[in-house]
Amino acid sequence: MNFTSACLAVEEISRVDPSVAILVDIHNTLTNNAVRFWGSEELKKKWLPKLASDTISSFALSEAGSGSDAFAMKTTATPSNDGSFYLINGSKLWISNAKEAGVFLLFANADPSKGYKGNIRTFCKCGMKESKLPSLTSSFYRFGVL
């Protein structure tokens, strides 16, 4: 499906239920496309089948001090010593689809000295704490520099 067709589908869904239309739009337009266009082959093989069948995705960009301005965000991503994962430090607000999501597209800055050019999109699998709130502490995959 091309972008125009996807927009038309979301528009039609919104005639019946706008909240479902937002879920579909975020899932398909933002997160699925990020994996399709910028994900590694390994990431695509692992996640695209799940995203097409049984896993809802979420979008975590907004912060208290910067809203949805990715260039002003303060959340950082620091690689581990062996480079196998990133430690995310910061906070996000208004995380779309958070309650239903099994995977998140999270934005962070991997190199604050480069300003906005240090920004990365991080695709992460979410674990659940006892409180049922997302805990973004497991399985992060870096797949692109903005």
Side-chain angles (χ1 to χ4, degrees):
M1 178 181 294
N2 65 30
F3 185 72
T4 302
S5 297
C7 290
L8 291 172
V10 168
E11 185 176 341
E12 288 302 313
I13 293 168
S14 70
R15 291 175 192 261
V16 177
D17 191 332
S19 62
V20 172
I22 294 292
L23 184 144
V24 170
D25 192 31
I26 289 166
H27 182 77
N28 290 327
T29 306
L30 298 176
T31 53
N32 288 2
N33 278 338
V35 174
R36 282 182 50 221
F37 296 127
W38 301 295
S40 66
E41 288 305 313
E42 175 189 358
L43 191 73
K44 290 176 188 178
K45 286 179 186 173
K46 180 173 182 171
W47 285 104
L48 287 177
K50 292 178 182 185
L51 291 168
S53 59
D54 64 1
T55 303
I56 299 289
S57 61
S58 184
F59 187 75
L61 170 64
S62 299
E63 296 182 356
S66 62
S68 58
D69 179 2
F71 298 140
M73 75 180 158
K74 301 295 182 209
T75 299
T76 59
T78 306
S80 65
N81 290 335
D82 65 2
S84 64
F85 66 91
Y86 284 84
L87 176 64
I88 304 298
N89 186 10
S91 60
K92 299 293 181 180
L93 299 173
W94 311 295
I95 301 174
S96 304
N97 299 343
K99 185 178 177 183
E100 298 81 13
V103 69
F104 289 69
L105 176 60
L106 182 128
F107 288 71
N109 194 318
D111 189 349
S113 70
K114 292 182 179 176
Y116 72 89
K117 291 184 179 182
N119 289 355
I120 64 168
R121 291 160 288 227
T122 303
F123 197 64
C124 53
K125 185 175 182 297
C126 165
M128 298 303 275
K129 292 183 180 178
E130 288 181 20
S131 66
K132 301 297 183 199
L133 295 175
S135 167
L136 301 180
T137 58
S138 63
S139 302
F140 291 87
Y141 306 91
R142 179 178 177 183
F143 65 94
V145 177
L146 288 174

